[in-house]
Structures are given as structure tokens and as C-alpha cells.
Amino acid sequence: MTHRCRRARHWCTAVGVASLISMICTHCAAQNSETLSPRFNQLVTATWHGQSLAASLERLGKLYRVAVWLDRRVDPNLRIDLAVSDASVIATAQELAQRHGLGAVVFQNVLYVGPQAAAREITTLAMLARRSLDDAPANARARWLHREPCRWSHLSEPRKILTDIVGATGAELENADRAPHDLWAAKDLPAMAAVDRLVLALIGFDLTCSISPDASFVSIIPIERPVQIAN
């Protein structure tokens, strides 16, 4: 057993892990054609005994150095009992997830855990948002697709986060107040395009974005279902 696996076993047995979530979207296309980090293939040997979901995910992310996004609609205090042996990080998350009827999927090298529908839809929502940039001026499109890390401090307001994401591209967010007031924990995300960060930040409100043809204005809109790419 590797040193990392021994650490994982020791942590999970001593602290126990919580409820992750359930039914998984095992659809590996969730990377939007980006390369899946090998960190998600690291092996986990662990036993979970009723720790909170949020604490479990946070610890899992820190131990295996992967970013985790727990959808705001998921109860962070869910509990779980589970044992895994030599399972990958993503397979472990998916097994934990299905215990609570939720989904787990890797989106732009972030482990997203949330409602099943959202886990199925997030990649397609990002593809639709990217498609709206097809006719945008080259320089504007490049700003929207430029990949860079993103972080914010504890108790940040999502409206400000959304405004900052859009503002960094040179565009204007027309209706930030469409996102309900909330306070978010500190977050440190890997490099990803602004358009993908925007989709990720909005999905927990059951919202997405509409980018104007010239990419200078953005509106927050409800998710229209079924979520699919038109031919």
C-alpha cells in the first residue's frame, strides 16, 4: 500500500467521511474536451463512518489535491457509511454520491457534486455558452476562453463573483440581481475559461448565461430544458 493510500485509510477510518452524493453521471465527456487530470485516477482505500458531506469532500480534495464544488442545493450535513478499496478518486466520489440520489462528475478538472440533472447537464450548458461565442470578435472570444485560476475569500457574495468573472472579459453583466443573495465559502479553482466558471457558478441557482453576439453583454437566464445541443 502506498504512503498516500495509508494516509487516506488512516484519515477516513479515524474521521469517517460523510455523505457525498448520489447517483452519478459517469459521463466522461464532462471535461469539455479538456485533459482529465491524473489526480482523479489516484487510488483511494478508505472507510466512511457518518461524517458530514461537506467536511468529507473538503478533506478528500485536500488529500488528493483536486478541486471540489458542492452544489449549494445539496445538504452539506448528509451522512454516509461506505468502504472502498483501491478505487479511483472519481469512482469513489460517484459511489458516495449514489448513496443520496445525487450526481458526481468532473467538469473542467473540478469534481462537481450536485443533483443528478445538474451533473448530467453542466457540460452541455458550457458547450451551449461556448457556442454563443462562435460569431464574437476574435479578441472578445479569446478573453472568454482564456484559461486561468480563480479564487475568492470566505463569505464572498455570488453576485460579486459573477460580476467579476464577466468584468474580467471586458463584458457587462446586465442582471446580477437575478442570482439570489448568498454567501459562499472560500474557493480555489484550477485554470478554466471564464465562460466555464460562469456556468459553474450559476448552476446551483438553476440558472445559466446568455452572451450577446458581440460578447459585450451577458444576461443571467433560467435553464431551458431539455438541455441539448441543437443540430
Side-chain angles (χ1 to χ4, degrees), residues 166-193:
V166 174
T169 70
E172 180 180 342
L173 182 58
E174 294 185 309
N175 57 342
D177 58 349
R178 188 70 181 266
H181 174 71
D182 203 356
L183 295 173
W184 286 356
K187 188 66 67 176
D188 194 348
L189 297 176
M192 67 172 69

Short mmCIF file of all heavy atoms in Angstrom, two decimals, residues 166-193:
data_model
loop_
_atom_site.label_atom_id
_atom_site.label_comp_id
_atom_site.label_asym_id
_atom_site.label_seq_id
_atom_site.Cartn_x
_atom_site.Cartn_y
_atom_site.Cartn_z
N VAL A 166 -17.46 38.12 -15.30
CA VAL A 166 -17.86 38.77 -16.56
C VAL A 166 -17.00 39.99 -16.82
O VAL A 166 -16.52 40.22 -17.95
CB VAL A 166 -19.35 39.14 -16.51
CG1 VAL A 166 -19.73 39.96 -17.75
CG2 VAL A 166 -20.22 37.89 -16.43
N GLY A 167 -16.76 40.81 -15.79
CA GLY A 167 -15.99 42.04 -15.97
C GLY A 167 -14.58 41.78 -16.45
O GLY A 167 -14.01 42.59 -17.21
N ALA A 168 -13.98 40.66 -16.03
CA ALA A 168 -12.61 40.34 -16.45
C ALA A 168 -12.50 40.10 -17.95
O ALA A 168 -11.41 40.19 -18.51
CB ALA A 168 -12.11 39.12 -15.68
N THR A 169 -13.62 39.83 -18.61
CA THR A 169 -13.61 39.61 -20.06
C THR A 169 -13.85 40.91 -20.82
O THR A 169 -13.81 40.91 -22.05
CB THR A 169 -14.70 38.60 -20.47
OG1 THR A 169 -16.00 39.21 -20.31
CG2 THR A 169 -14.63 37.33 -19.65
N GLY A 170 -14.13 41.99 -20.10
CA GLY A 170 -14.46 43.25 -20.74
C GLY A 170 -15.94 43.40 -21.04
O GLY A 170 -16.37 44.40 -21.62
N ALA A 171 -16.74 42.42 -20.64
CA ALA A 171 -18.18 42.46 -20.88
C ALA A 171 -18.91 43.03 -19.65
O ALA A 171 -18.30 43.24 -18.59
CB ALA A 171 -18.71 41.07 -21.21
N GLU A 172 -20.21 43.24 -19.79
CA GLU A 172 -21.03 43.77 -18.71
C GLU A 172 -22.13 42.79 -18.37
O GLU A 172 -22.81 42.26 -19.25
CB GLU A 172 -21.65 45.11 -19.13
CG GLU A 172 -22.53 45.75 -18.07
CD GLU A 172 -23.13 47.07 -18.53
OE1 GLU A 172 -22.62 47.65 -19.51
OE2 GLU A 172 -24.13 47.50 -17.92
N LEU A 173 -22.31 42.53 -17.08
CA LEU A 173 -23.38 41.66 -16.61
C LEU A 173 -24.63 42.51 -16.37
O LEU A 173 -24.63 43.40 -15.52
CB LEU A 173 -22.97 40.94 -15.32
CG LEU A 173 -23.97 39.95 -14.74
CD1 LEU A 173 -24.34 38.85 -15.73
CD2 LEU A 173 -23.42 39.34 -13.45
N GLU A 174 -25.68 42.23 -17.12
CA GLU A 174 -26.85 43.11 -17.11
C GLU A 174 -27.75 42.92 -15.89
O GLU A 174 -28.40 43.87 -15.45
CB GLU A 174 -27.66 42.89 -18.39
CG GLU A 174 -26.93 43.31 -19.66
CD GLU A 174 -27.80 43.18 -20.88
OE1 GLU A 174 -28.40 42.10 -21.08
OE2 GLU A 174 -27.90 44.15 -21.64
N ASN A 175 -27.82 41.72 -15.37
CA ASN A 175 -28.81 41.45 -14.31
C ASN A 175 -28.24 40.57 -13.20
O ASN A 175 -28.78 39.48 -12.93
CB ASN A 175 -30.08 40.83 -14.90
CG ASN A 175 -29.79 39.53 -15.67
OD1 ASN A 175 -28.64 39.26 -16.05
ND2 ASN A 175 -30.82 38.74 -15.89
N ALA A 176 -27.19 41.03 -12.55
CA ALA A 176 -26.57 40.25 -11.48
C ALA A 176 -27.57 39.94 -10.37
O ALA A 176 -27.45 38.93 -9.68
CB ALA A 176 -25.37 41.00 -10.92
N ASP A 177 -28.57 40.80 -10.19
CA ASP A 177 -29.54 40.59 -9.12
C ASP A 177 -30.44 39.39 -9.39
O ASP A 177 -31.22 38.99 -8.52
CB ASP A 177 -30.39 41.84 -8.90
CG ASP A 177 -31.14 42.29 -10.15
OD1 ASP A 177 -30.86 41.76 -11.26
OD2 ASP A 177 -32.01 43.18 -10.03
N ARG A 178 -30.35 38.80 -10.57
CA ARG A 178 -31.11 37.58 -10.88
C ARG A 178 -30.64 36.42 -10.01
O ARG A 178 -31.40 35.50 -9.72
CB ARG A 178 -30.97 37.24 -12.37
CG ARG A 178 -31.86 36.11 -12.84
CD ARG A 178 -33.31 36.56 -12.85
NE ARG A 178 -34.21 35.52 -13.26
CZ ARG A 178 -34.63 35.33 -14.52
NH1 ARG A 178 -34.21 36.14 -15.48
NH2 ARG A 178 -35.47 34.37 -14.82
N ALA A 179 -29.38 36.46 -9.59
CA ALA A 179 -28.85 35.44 -8.68
C ALA A 179 -29.24 35.80 -7.25
O ALA A 179 -28.94 36.89 -6.78
CB ALA A 179 -27.34 35.36 -8.81
N PRO A 180 -29.92 34.90 -6.54
CA PRO A 180 -30.33 35.21 -5.16
C PRO A 180 -29.13 35.50 -4.27
O PRO A 180 -28.01 35.05 -4.52
CB PRO A 180 -31.03 33.91 -4.72
CG PRO A 180 -31.45 33.25 -5.99
CD PRO A 180 -30.39 33.58 -6.98
N HIS A 181 -29.38 36.28 -3.22
CA HIS A 181 -28.31 36.57 -2.27
C HIS A 181 -27.86 35.29 -1.59
O HIS A 181 -28.66 34.43 -1.23
CB HIS A 181 -28.79 37.56 -1.21
CG HIS A 181 -27.77 37.78 -0.13
ND1 HIS A 181 -26.60 38.48 -0.34
CD2 HIS A 181 -27.74 37.36 1.16
CE1 HIS A 181 -25.90 38.50 0.78
NE2 HIS A 181 -26.57 37.83 1.70
N ASP A 182 -26.56 35.16 -1.42
CA ASP A 182 -25.98 34.00 -0.74
C ASP A 182 -24.59 34.38 -0.29
O ASP A 182 -24.05 35.43 -0.69
CB ASP A 182 -25.92 32.80 -1.70
CG ASP A 182 -25.87 31.47 -0.96
OD1 ASP A 182 -25.81 31.48 0.28
OD2 ASP A 182 -25.88 30.42 -1.63
N LEU A 183 -23.99 33.57 0.56
CA LEU A 183 -22.61 33.75 0.99
C LEU A 183 -21.89 32.42 0.79
O LEU A 183 -22.37 31.37 1.25
CB LEU A 183 -22.54 34.17 2.46
CG LEU A 183 -23.15 35.54 2.79
CD1 LEU A 183 -23.16 35.76 4.30
CD2 LEU A 183 -22.37 36.66 2.10
N TRP A 184 -20.76 32.47 0.11
CA TRP A 184 -20.05 31.25 -0.23
C TRP A 184 -18.75 31.12 0.54
O TRP A 184 -18.11 32.12 0.89
CB TRP A 184 -19.75 31.22 -1.74
CG TRP A 184 -20.97 30.94 -2.58
CD1 TRP A 184 -22.22 30.66 -2.12
CD2 TRP A 184 -21.04 30.92 -4.00
NE1 TRP A 184 -23.07 30.45 -3.18
CE2 TRP A 184 -22.38 30.60 -4.34
CE3 TRP A 184 -20.11 31.14 -5.02
CZ2 TRP A 184 -22.80 30.50 -5.66
CZ3 TRP A 184 -20.53 31.04 -6.34
CH2 TRP A 184 -21.86 30.71 -6.66
N ALA A 185 -18.36 29.87 0.76
CA ALA A 185 -17.07 29.58 1.39
C ALA A 185 -15.94 29.92 0.43
O ALA A 185 -16.14 30.07 -0.78
CB ALA A 185 -17.00 28.10 1.78
N ALA A 186 -14.74 30.05 0.97
CA ALA A 186 -13.58 30.32 0.14
C ALA A 186 -13.41 29.21 -0.89
O ALA A 186 -13.72 28.04 -0.62
CB ALA A 186 -12.34 30.44 1.01
N LYS A 187 -12.93 29.57 -2.06
CA LYS A 187 -12.76 28.60 -3.14
C LYS A 187 -11.50 28.92 -3.92
O LYS A 187 -11.16 30.07 -4.14
CB LYS A 187 -13.98 28.64 -4.07
CG LYS A 187 -14.01 27.55 -5.12
CD LYS A 187 -14.18 26.18 -4.50
CE LYS A 187 -15.52 26.00 -3.85
NZ LYS A 187 -15.71 24.62 -3.32
N ASP A 188 -10.82 27.86 -4.33
CA ASP A 188 -9.61 27.97 -5.14
C ASP A 188 -9.76 27.01 -6.31
O ASP A 188 -9.64 25.80 -6.14
CB ASP A 188 -8.38 27.63 -4.29
CG ASP A 188 -7.08 28.04 -4.95
OD1 ASP A 188 -7.10 28.37 -6.15
OD2 ASP A 188 -6.03 28.00 -4.28
N LEU A 189 -10.06 27.55 -7.49
CA LEU A 189 -10.35 26.71 -8.66
C LEU A 189 -9.16 26.63 -9.59
O LEU A 189 -8.37 27.58 -9.71
CB LEU A 189 -11.55 27.29 -9.43
CG LEU A 189 -12.88 27.33 -8.68
CD1 LEU A 189 -13.94 28.03 -9.54
CD2 LEU A 189 -13.34 25.93 -8.30
N PRO A 190 -9.00 25.50 -10.28
CA PRO A 190 -7.91 25.38 -11.26
C PRO A 190 -8.19 26.25 -12.48
O PRO A 190 -9.28 26.83 -12.62
CB PRO A 190 -7.95 23.89 -11.63
CG PRO A 190 -9.38 23.50 -11.42
CD PRO A 190 -9.84 24.29 -10.23
N ALA A 191 -7.21 26.33 -13.36
CA ALA A 191 -7.36 27.15 -14.57
C ALA A 191 -8.54 26.65 -15.41
O ALA A 191 -8.64 25.46 -15.71
CB ALA A 191 -6.07 27.10 -15.39
N MET A 192 -9.42 27.57 -15.74
CA MET A 192 -10.53 27.27 -16.65
C MET A 192 -10.98 28.55 -17.31
O MET A 192 -10.67 29.66 -16.83
CB MET A 192 -11.70 26.58 -15.92
CG MET A 192 -12.43 27.43 -14.92
SD MET A 192 -13.94 26.61 -14.27
CE MET A 192 -13.24 25.30 -13.30
N ALA A 193 -11.69 28.41 -18.41
CA ALA A 193 -12.16 29.58 -19.15
C ALA A 193 -13.23 30.32 -18.36
O ALA A 193 -13.99 29.71 -17.59
CB ALA A 193 -12.72 29.15 -20.51
#
